[in-house]
């Protein structure tokens, strides 16, 4: 592919990677076609930009930006899931330098795992016509994708044989995590010290299952853990690589492992990318991770094709629980009983996949989607734009525009949007205010042209309001609040009379909170909060 792009390019091409092993592998593959290429990598002791195509390490080029002093047509980034939007990263320094010389520079990313911990999908638009990630994602568009199942089915990769850790496994679930789901090294070491019997049993099983295997990679949680694992393996047939292993020793170990002089390669936080030993046919995961990308990179070490290799045994002793073929990327799973559900957009018809819940018949009874993920082609600009239909929204009090429920500024008029938490706090501090944590509502006719809605909280407290649908303003407010949310937003409706409302009342969504103020004859509803997301507990959520 790079050879063909080089043939078409009018200027130079730079291919970036983050480790010297990848730089070297990519360059060797390119040169195997009889083509010339430069290498710019301190680790490989070469710093040349002479040829049309250069393979370089991002660290070396980031430290030598002044040498990038001529225009390039194309920048290719291998393992591009490592790129983020922070301007100070080496990747963005290189991109900025190249764009200063050629504003039309094209940036092409390559990765088997297009997502990143803490970010989700690294691109915004997919070429099949839907949205992933956000406008802040590092890459604008995914232009081509080959799913893992396709690669295996068509024999481009070795099939993984994923087995449950039936004999023994670790339970890392009780350990405290940071905002990215990571566990501290001290906590891991303490927990693993208390489970040395488990570690020994696990390695005994690994040894037993690897009798007919060619190469085994064991991924440990910490350096202390890795040393313990190594002590249970035959000294002449196992080695350990960590981030502290010097380059010369590491290169020798990797060379011996690839030559099959060593069967067991234990490592800690290294050899997940840029490592190519096709004979590996057993992956043992003894470390926790919240990163889907890292998990797939680990398993990927065993999926290369190799003579005599029919599958790769994968055992996750850490209970990470990722689905290799359908990774959960993007919105965090709202609850343990949530599952992916399909929700059709009433605006453009796109079949969205959101977290949600279904009944025994498989009917969607709840979903947590906010905005349609479909892409629409603008006839005037010929550009793709995300469908603007919102299943959940926060309405601007100034202009009436629908905004994301977490928005702080209206996207249409730039007015500040009132934080629902501030509304609730203010109401709770008033002596004459009632705040209902709404758990349900009833709708009944109130004369021939009005409907009465009564809201209830968990403890039975209630308040009500009346909408006169014959009055244009009242009918408009009713449709804005309730009509747009019919059937979880899947069937937005405009009601004109009482009969239509009563016929659809089972599909109307109640607000999450109702704020009422003391009036002369009871409570008068002042505000309702729909699609709430914040610090306060909603009805029937765990206290």
């Amino acid at each position: 592919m790079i050879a063909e792009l080089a043939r078409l390019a009018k200027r130079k091409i730079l291919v970036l990677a983050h480790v010297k092993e990848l730089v070297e592998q990519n360059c060797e593959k390119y040169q195997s076609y009889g083509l010339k290429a430069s290498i710019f990598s301190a680790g490989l002791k070469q710093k040349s930009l002479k040829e049309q195509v250069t393979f370089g390490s991002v660290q070396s080029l980031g430290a030598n930006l002044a040498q990038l002093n001529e225009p390039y047509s194309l920048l290719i980034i291998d393992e591009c899931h490592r790129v983020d939007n922070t301007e100070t990263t080496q990747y963005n320094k290189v991109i900025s330098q190249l764009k200063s010389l050629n504003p039309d520079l094209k940036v092409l990313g390559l990765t088997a795992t297009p997502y990143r911990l803490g970010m989700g999908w690294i691109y915004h638009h997919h070429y099949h016509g839907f949205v992933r990630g956000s406008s802040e994602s590092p890459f604008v568009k995914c232009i081509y994708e080959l799913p893992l199942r396709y690669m295996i089915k068509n024999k481009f990769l070795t099939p993984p044989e994923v087995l449950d850790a039936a004999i023994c496994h670790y339970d890392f679930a009780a350990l405290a995590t940071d905002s990215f789901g990571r566990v501290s090294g001290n906590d891991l070491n303490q927990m693993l010290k208390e489970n040395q019997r488990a570690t020994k049993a696990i390695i005994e099983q690994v040894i037993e299952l690897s009798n007919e295997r060619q190469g085994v990679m064991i991924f440990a949680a910490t350096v202390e853990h890795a040393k313990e694992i190594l002590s249970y393996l035959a000294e002449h047939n196992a080695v350990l690589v960590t981030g502290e292993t010097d380059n010369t020793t590491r290169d020798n170990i990797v060379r011996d492992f690839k030559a099959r002089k060593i069967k067991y390669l234990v490592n800690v936080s290294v050899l997940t990318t840029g490592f190519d030993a096709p004979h590996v046919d057993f992956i043992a995961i003894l470390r926790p991770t919240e990163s889907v990308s890292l998990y797939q990179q680990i398993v990927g070490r065993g999926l290369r094709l190799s003579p005599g290799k029919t599958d790769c045994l994968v055992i996750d002793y850490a209970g990470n629980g990722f689905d290799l073929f359908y990774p959960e990327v993007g919105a965090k799973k709202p609850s343990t009983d949530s599952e992916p559900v399909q929700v059709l957009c009433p605006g453009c018809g796109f079949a969205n996949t959101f977290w949600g819940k279904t009944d025994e018949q498989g009917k969607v009874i709840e979903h947590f989607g906010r905005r349609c993920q479909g892409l629409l082609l603008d006839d005037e600009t010929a550009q793709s734009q995300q469908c603007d239909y919102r299943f959940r929204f926060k309405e601007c009090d100034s202009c009436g525009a629908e905004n994301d429920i977490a928005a702080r500024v209206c996207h249409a008029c730039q007015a500040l949007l009132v934080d629902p938490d501030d509304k609730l706090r203010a109401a709770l501090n008033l002596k004459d205010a009632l705040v209902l944590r709404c758990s349900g509502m009833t709708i009944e006719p109130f004369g021939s042209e009005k409907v009465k809605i009564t809201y209830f909280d968990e403890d039975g407290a209630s308040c009500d309001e009346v909408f006169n649908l014959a009055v244009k303003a009242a009918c408009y407010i009713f449709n804005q609040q309730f009509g747009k949310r019919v059937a979880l937003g899947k069937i937005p409706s405009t009601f004109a009379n009482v009969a239509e409302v009563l016929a659809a009342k089972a599909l109307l969504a109640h607000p999450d909170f109702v704020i009422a103020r003391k009036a002369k004859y009871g409570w008068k509803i002042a505000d309702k909060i729909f699609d709430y997301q914040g610090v306060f507990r909603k009805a029937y959520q765990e206290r």
Side-chain angles (χ1 to χ4, degrees):
M1 181 191 74
I2 296 174
E4 179 62 16
L5 290 172
R7 187 183 68 80
L8 297 173
K10 296 179 180 178
R11 295 169 175 167
K12 287 188 169 184
I13 292 177
L14 177 61
V15 184
L16 278 186
H18 68 290
V19 290
K20 67 174 185 177
E21 290 86 356
L22 270 179
V23 174
E24 189 172 38
Q25 287 172 28
N26 291 339
C27 187
E28 287 177 353
K29 186 69 174 178
Y30 181 79
Q31 291 175 329
S32 71
Y33 293 100
L35 302 169
K36 293 182 178 181
S38 301
I39 288 180
F40 199 105
S41 171
L44 297 174
K45 297 181 173 55
Q46 297 183 59
K47 288 187 177 181
S48 171
L49 297 168
K50 178 184 175 182
E51 303 295 341
Q52 186 198 9
V53 177
T54 296
F55 294 84
S57 78
V58 65
Q59 295 87 352
S60 297
L61 282 160
N64 295 273
L65 293 175
Q67 294 197 41
L68 293 171
N69 53 16
E70 57 183 311
Y72 280 71
S73 291
L74 175 66
L75 170 63
I76 300 174
I77 303 176
D78 200 2
E79 304 292 350
C80 67
H81 57 273
R82 303 181 66 86
V83 179
D84 63 23
N85 284 327
T86 308
E87 293 182 3
T88 56
T89 65
Q90 300 278 28
Y91 285 107
N92 284 310
K93 286 181 180 179
V94 172
I95 292 171
S96 296
Q97 175 68 9
L98 294 178
K99 283 192 172 182
S100 71
L101 299 166
N102 177 18
D104 295 325
L105 173 79
K106 301 295 187 292
V107 180
L108 175 66
L110 306 174
T111 181
T113 53
Y115 22 83
R116 182 182 174 94
L117 184 62
M119 178 188 293
W121 298 99
I122 62 171
Y123 60 85
H124 192 199
H125 295 172
H126 192 281
Y127 67 99
H128 281 322
F130 56 84
V131 170
R132 279 176 167 168
S134 70
S135 58
E136 302 299 317
S137 299
F139 293 89
V140 175
K141 187 174 184 179
C142 171
I143 60 173
Y144 192 67
E145 180 180 32
L146 279 177
L148 179 60
R149 197 178 294 279
Y150 175 92
M151 298 287 282
I152 292 169
K153 182 179 179 181
N154 290 276
K155 303 188 186 316
F156 293 113
L157 292 174
T158 301
E161 182 69 23
V162 182
L163 297 184
D164 290 330
I167 297 237
C168 201
H169 66 276
Y170 302 116
D171 183 8
F172 293 107
L175 296 179
T177 61
D178 64 13
S179 59
F180 290 108
R182 296 173 297 201
V183 181
S184 76
N186 290 336
D187 288 348
L188 279 172
N189 280 325
Q190 182 60 38
M191 183 262 189
L192 291 165
K193 280 181 181 178
E194 297 169 359
N195 287 268
Q196 289 184 343
R197 185 178 298 176
T199 302
K200 187 175 183 180
I202 287 170
I203 298 306
E204 287 174 351
Q205 185 188 51
V206 169
I207 293 171
E208 180 184 352
L209 294 175
S210 64
N211 283 335
E212 303 299 323
R213 296 286 165 176
Q214 302 176 51
V216 182
M217 291 188 72
I218 302 174
F219 292 83
T222 67
V223 173
E224 288 185 28
H225 184 218
K227 290 178 178 178
E228 181 193 352
I229 290 169
L230 196 65
S231 70
Y232 301 135
L233 296 165
E235 185 175 348
H236 70 280
N237 211 18
V239 287
L240 168 62
V241 178
T242 73
E244 298 174 357
T245 306
D246 66 80
N247 288 338
T248 302
T249 303
R250 175 173 162 172
D251 289 345
N252 290 335
I253 289 172
V254 169
R255 184 176 60 251
D256 288 347
F257 181 70
K258 289 182 177 180
R260 310 191 191 190
K261 296 178 182 179
I262 303 164
K263 185 168 186 176
Y264 300 96
L265 183 55
V266 184
N267 84 95
V268 185
S269 300
V270 292
L271 306 183
T272 53
T273 58
F275 177 77
D276 187 20
H279 75 287
V280 171
D281 55 359
F282 189 172
I283 300 289
I285 306 171
L286 281 71
R287 57 156 295 172
T289 179
E290 286 295 313
S291 170
V292 182
S293 176
L294 177 58
Y295 181 84
Q296 291 199 318
Q297 292 285 353
I298 288 172
V299 176
R301 298 314 93 201
L303 301 187
R304 306 283 189 187
L305 299 177
S306 180
K309 179 177 170 183
T310 58
D311 64 17
C312 176
L313 181 61
V314 179
I315 304 183
D316 182 1
Y317 292 100
N320 290 299
F322 292 117
D323 186 324
L324 194 59
F325 297 100
Y326 298 102
E328 297 170 2
V329 180
K332 188 176 180 181
K333 193 173 185 176
S335 58
T336 55
D337 59 345
S338 298
E339 60 183 291
V341 298
Q342 189 175 92
V343 181
L344 293 177
C345 173
C348 71
F350 180 75
N352 294 275
T353 300
F354 297 132
W355 288 115
K357 298 179 182 179
T358 59
D359 58 19
E360 294 179 354
Q361 286 74 44
K363 181 181 178 181
V364 178
I365 56 175
E366 184 178 10
H367 75 80
F368 301 96
R370 296 185 183 182
R371 181 178 177 181
C372 175
Q373 298 172 332
L375 284 176
L376 303 175
L377 187 65
D378 188 312
D379 292 334
E380 295 183 2
T381 64
Q383 298 293 318
S384 294
Q385 295 183 344
Q386 185 174 359
C387 174
D388 61 4
Y389 184 81
R390 297 182 187 274
F391 295 91
R392 285 176 166 80
F393 57 88
K394 182 191 294 185
E395 187 173 334
C396 175
D397 293 334
S398 299
C399 70
E402 297 175 4
N403 294 271
D404 185 78
I405 58 176
R408 293 291 177 261
V409 176
C410 176
H411 71 89
C413 71
Q414 305 305 307
L416 289 176
L417 300 174
V418 180
D419 187 333
D421 285 338
D422 291 341
K423 284 186 179 182
L424 292 171
R425 289 191 189 98
L428 290 168
N429 287 328
L430 295 174
K431 293 182 179 180
D432 65 341
L434 170 69
V435 177
L436 283 184
R437 185 177 282 112
C438 189
S439 61
M441 67 182 184
T442 60
I443 302 175
E444 55 188 352
F446 194 73
S448 61
E449 298 178 332
K450 302 175 183 178
V451 291
K452 178 182 177 181
I453 304 181
T454 304
Y455 307 99
F456 301 92
D457 72 3
E458 299 162 301
D459 302 318
S462 66
C463 60
D464 54 56
E465 64 180 336
V466 174
F467 287 90
N468 187 345
L469 300 181
V471 176
K472 187 175 181 180
C475 189
Y476 173 80
I477 292 173
F478 181 88
N479 283 311
Q480 283 293 104
Q481 295 180 349
F482 296 98
K484 288 188 175 182
R485 295 181 170 89
V486 175
L488 307 175
K490 293 185 291 184
I491 314 174
S493 305
T494 301
F495 299 104
N497 54 58
V498 173
E500 291 177 357
V501 172
L502 295 178
K505 67 179 182 178
L507 299 176
L508 301 187
H510 63 76
D512 294 310
F513 291 92
V514 176
I515 300 173
R517 300 291 296 273
K518 193 74 173 177
K520 186 175 181 179
Y521 298 107
W523 296 102
K524 182 179 180 181
I525 293 176
D527 203 351
K528 297 187 288 293
I529 299 176
F530 292 85
D531 305 321
Y532 173 76
Q533 179 177 296
V535 300
F536 290 94
R537 181 181 65 84
K538 295 194 291 187
Y540 299 126
Q541 284 185 335
E542 293 183 4
R543 297 177 186 271

